[in-house]
Amino acid sequence: MASPTAASAVDSAEYRVWRVILASAAGTMMEWYDFFIFGSLVAVLSLKFYPPGNDLFAYIAYLATFAVAFVMRPFGALFFGQIGDIVGRKHAFLATLSMMGGATALIGLLPTFKTVGWRAPIMLIVLRMLQGLAVGGEYGGAAVYVGEHAPDHKRGFYTSFIQIMGPSGLLASLAVVSLTEHWMNKGAFDAWGWRLPFLFSIVLVGVCLYFRLKMKESPIFSMIKSTGRTSAHPLKEAFTKWKNLKQVLVSLFGATAGMAVVGYTAQLYPLFYLQTILKVSEKTTIFVIAVAISMAVPFVIFFGWISDKMGRKWLMMTACLLATVTYVPIYKAMARAAGNNVVTVKSTKNAVTGAISLTPITLDPATHMRIPANEAPTPNVPMLIFLLLIQGIYVGMILGPIGAYLVEAFPARIRYTSLSLPFHVGFGIFGGVLPLVGVWICAATGNIYAGLYYPITIAGVTVVVGSLLLKETHGTRIWDEAEGDRDANARIPPFSG
């Protein structure tokens, strides 16, 4: 039986871990809120910051403004990863939070195209670049910070709370925009109310900075720094030494690339598929996706916890395998649930902009002729939520364990740099192009399910590479490495609760 003193020490350690999780997760959700708020207001922004009457520039600027943030994420991972491995984890993600909050607030203060002309979209793109840099550095800092505070046998469970902050930030951005629109009339919102969700980030950043400033440095980083074992050149060490570079590449193609397409196929691709292909109304689409994401979030934590019992690798491989074999049946069921019998799509290329528009085609019940589909009148909302939830469970299976896996896969001296790059190349590149590739394949083939070939292929590659080359990291004692003690039985983990 544990003594009162020992029990008190365990309770105190557990309390400290939860404080670390709260401060880290709140800041991470804040950054994802800032990142997604831009997309939530794109309809308004396109009218405020792009020149009227110039369809070509508006189209290019629209794509560039979205794409640039995804492209910048790997660069943010490298830049802030190096800071995190040299100066400290805490300093790096204090910087990312400040950069993201500042860039978001400045978007809310930007003059529009009507006021300053071409400088408006240029300034907007620059600020979006800063947002991409900040997000690229944030995840690595939060995952490493929590992972290096967590006991070895609970790392999957604790880091899973960081993993749910992306979906939570998306839901928060949708909620704030909806409440702001509900609070004021459309004229006021279009004139100046759209700035409020951006400016609200000042309050959120202030609160998150307050808590993060009170946090201490990661105990593992403090140990290796005090003994002079940090890396002087983490970029060089991580990517020029084959042993480390191989682990980065295996983590990318055997884990994070699959995670990205599984995640985006469940959360972003349905926005395009339901509205553009199946002609489900925007209001219904947002509702079913928001409900499904909310219901799926607990599964991320559940599978993080399970990974502490069963291991990380095969949960992640199972998620990708299930995705490859069930995506087409699931999306066919979604088409039936929409209820307007869309059978194909017809693509039309705009002669001025080059933009591709898709017209869903259905069969006329009377003549059996192919005609443009109307908006789905009575979609089966519960069934759509259920089908999206199934995909959300796949996301939980891979997203829950992956934070712990990445922390355990790399040595402490280059951990921040090494894990950040495969994560953000996976999400920023492999995941970021998914909607664009999906539209292109559907337009090229006329097959409404062809857009799924891309995520199925990437998830399949992840199953093969991961099954053959990915190491099972469950049971890795990163505290032994920090203390320089290779005898796993000669020490007691700092937090044994």
Side-chain angles (χ1 to χ4, degrees):
M1 181 176 180
S3 69
T5 302
S8 177
V10 169
D11 291 343
S12 177
E14 195 83 6
Y15 173 71
R16 289 197 302 271
V17 174
W18 282 111
R19 286 185 61 187
V20 165
I21 292 171
L22 177 62
S24 301
T28 302
M29 187 187 78
M30 159 65 207
E31 293 211 36
W32 283 115
Y33 165 85
D34 285 352
F35 191 76
F36 285 128
I37 202 73
F38 184 89
S40 301
L41 289 167
V42 68
V44 176
L45 295 178
S46 63
L47 300 176
K48 297 296 181 183
F49 291 100
Y50 302 145
N54 189 333
D55 293 339
L56 178 60
F57 180 82
Y59 177 69
I60 294 173
Y62 175 83
L63 289 180
T65 307
F66 272 102
V68 74
F70 287 98
V71 172
M72 295 305 293
R73 283 171 64 173
F75 293 99
L78 295 175
F79 178 74
F80 288 106
Q82 185 167 230
I83 294 174
D85 282 329
I86 295 175
V87 182
R89 300 11 175 157
K90 174 183 174 179
H91 293 84
F93 71 23
L94 281 174
T96 63
L97 181 62
S98 301
M99 177 183 286
M100 176 62 86
T104 304
L106 285 173
I107 291 176
L109 297 172
L110 278 181
T112 63
F113 186 87
K114 183 178 180 181
T115 305
V116 298
W118 298 99
R119 286 174 289 177
I122 292 172
M123 289 188 288
L124 183 65
I125 290 172
V126 169
L127 291 175
R128 188 67 175 160
M129 291 173 67
L130 292 178
Q131 286 187 318
L133 279 173
V135 165
E138 167 64 24
Y139 172 80
V144 170
Y145 192 78
V146 172
E148 291 184 344
H149 276 85
D152 291 327
H153 63 292
K154 285 190 175 181
R155 190 166 296 112
F157 174 65
Y158 285 134
T159 56
S160 68
F161 287 89
I162 298 298
Q163 305 303 124
I164 66 174
M165 290 302 108
S168 299
L170 172 60
L171 292 174
S173 70
L174 292 173
V176 169
V177 170
S178 297
L179 289 172
T180 306
E181 288 180 316
H182 180 74
W183 176 60
M184 55 179 55
N185 61 58
K186 188 178 186 303
F189 183 83
D190 290 344
W192 59 271
W194 61 269
R195 298 180 182 272
L196 296 180
F198 291 102
L199 297 176
F200 182 57
S201 70
I202 297 175
V203 178
L204 297 178
V205 167
V207 173
C208 293
L209 276 176
Y210 171 78
F211 286 109
R212 283 196 173 181
L213 284 168
K214 296 171 72 69
M215 295 160 60
K216 296 181 180 180
E217 183 53 82
S218 154
I220 288 181
F221 182 81
S222 297
M223 289 180 191
I224 64 172
K225 188 172 185 179
S226 65
T227 55
R229 287 184 287 146
T230 56
S231 174
H233 305 286
L235 285 176
K236 181 179 180 180
E237 187 173 342
F239 306 120
T240 62
K241 292 186 177 181
W242 173 240
K243 180 181 178 181
N244 295 326
L245 178 59
K246 178 184 176 182
Q247 187 62 42
V248 170
L249 293 174
V250 170
S251 296
L252 172 60
F253 292 103
T256 61
M259 172 193 64
V261 296
V262 169
Y264 282 168
T265 303
Q267 297 173 359
L268 291 185
Y269 190 70
L271 283 169
F272 153 75
Y273 185 74
L274 288 172
Q275 293 181 80
T276 306
I277 302 295
L278 301 184
K279 299 290 286 184
V280 176
S281 71
E282 178 184 4
K283 182 178 180 180
T284 300
T285 296
I286 291 176
F287 173 76
V288 298
I289 291 175
V291 172
I293 290 176
S294 300
M295 295 173 67
V297 162
F299 286 97
V300 179
I301 299 171
F302 172 74
F303 285 113
W305 174 75
I306 285 292
S307 76
D308 287 326
K309 316 294 182 184
M310 299 174 53
R312 332 281 188 205
K313 174 179 176 175
W314 292 111
L315 279 175
M316 297 190 291
M317 296 305 101
T318 300
C320 290
L321 180 61
L322 287 171
T324 61
V325 299
T326 64
Y327 271 161
V328 171
I330 286 174
Y331 273 77
K332 285 184 176 180
M334 289 171 65
R336 291 193 295 271
N340 54 355
N341 193 31
V342 173
V343 295
T344 187
V345 288
K346 179 181 179 181
S347 64
T348 305
K349 188 173 183 179
N350 188 297
V352 177
T353 67
I356 296 174
S357 61
L358 298 179
T359 302
I361 302 297
T362 188
L363 295 177
D364 187 307
T367 65
H368 299 287
M369 297 289 290
R370 294 190 171 190
I371 59 173
N374 295 318
E375 182 176 293
T378 55
N380 187 337
V381 170
M383 179 57 69
L384 289 173
I385 292 173
F386 173 71
L387 294 168
L388 289 172
L389 176 60
I390 292 175
Q391 298 175 66
I393 293 173
Y394 300 166
V395 177
M397 291 181 73
I398 190 167
L399 198 60
I402 204 162
Y405 160 75
L406 289 171
V407 170
E408 294 162 349
F410 299 101
R413 56 190 284 113
I414 56 171
R415 180 171 289 138
Y416 199 143
T417 302
S418 298
L419 76 81
S420 294
L421 186 66
F423 183 87
H424 287 291
V425 171
F427 262 105
I429 306 301
F430 287 97
V433 302
L434 191 154
L436 182 62
V437 172
V439 171
W440 180 81
I441 297 177
C442 285
T445 63
N447 183 344
I448 65 174
Y449 308 111
L452 297 168
Y453 297 162
Y454 172 73
I456 288 173
T457 300
I458 300 300
V461 169
T462 295
V463 171
V464 174
V465 174
S467 297
L468 295 176
L469 301 176
L470 202 71
K471 294 188 300 184
E472 175 56 74
T473 64
H474 171 240
T476 300
R477 300 175 68 91
I478 66 173
W479 289 91
D480 288 348
E481 174 203 351
E483 295 184 356
D485 183 355
R486 298 300 177 186
D487 180 4
N489 295 317
R491 60 179 294 276
I492 298 173
F495 305 136
S496 56

